[in-house]
Amino acid sequence: MPLAGVTGRVELMNAVHEGGLGGTYGGNPVACVAALATIKTLRDRNLVERAREIGDILFANLRSLAQTSPSSATCADVARWSRWSSSSRHQGSEPAAVKAIVNYCNQNGVIAISCGTYGNVVRLLRHS
């Protein structure tokens, strides 16, 4: 269910007239109930901690792969994003491999995207 919200510094939020801020889905009662149920499920099933555990395993393996990769791959954390990339800056097998990795991740419930100028980066959002 779509849900939206608007946040900002107090002085900015208070400067707008009543009803002046909002969005198409802001405050929809059904969406709010669905969001609360989702948060309850996340808490009850300890899913955030489980995601951290799985992420730690995944990124440890990606770092290991980067160290042993013949293509001089790298693995790095930047803010909440983590990336794994091959060193190639040329069109070749790396972009195809990255696309295959992203497709495999997405088909198996892991959200991943390919990026980079040369299509040689797998990007994963890491929960911190």
Side-chain angles (χ1 to χ4, degrees), residues 6-97:
V6 178
T7 64
R9 293 190 316 242
V10 172
E11 63 272 15
L12 295 176
M13 299 302 287
N14 289 340
V16 180
H17 64 83
E18 187 174 329
L21 287 176
T24 303
Y25 302 109
N28 177 307
V30 176
C32 289
V33 170
L36 290 172
T38 300
I39 292 167
K40 182 176 182 338
T41 299
L42 289 169
R43 288 181 177 159
D44 291 352
R45 295 184 182 177
N46 203 24
L47 295 178
V48 172
E49 182 57 32
R50 183 65 181 135
R52 280 192 191 107
E53 292 169 2
I54 292 169
D56 289 344
I57 293 166
L58 173 65
F59 292 110
N61 283 290
L62 285 175
R63 285 184 192 97
S64 176
L65 176 64
Q67 291 173 352
T68 60
S69 175
S71 65
S72 301
T74 61
C75 184
D77 293 326
V78 180
R80 290 182 54 198
W81 285 98
S82 289
R83 66 165 172 78
W84 179 90
S85 61
S86 72
S87 63
S88 174
R89 293 181 177 244
H90 306 288
Q91 293 296 328
S93 62
E94 287 83 1

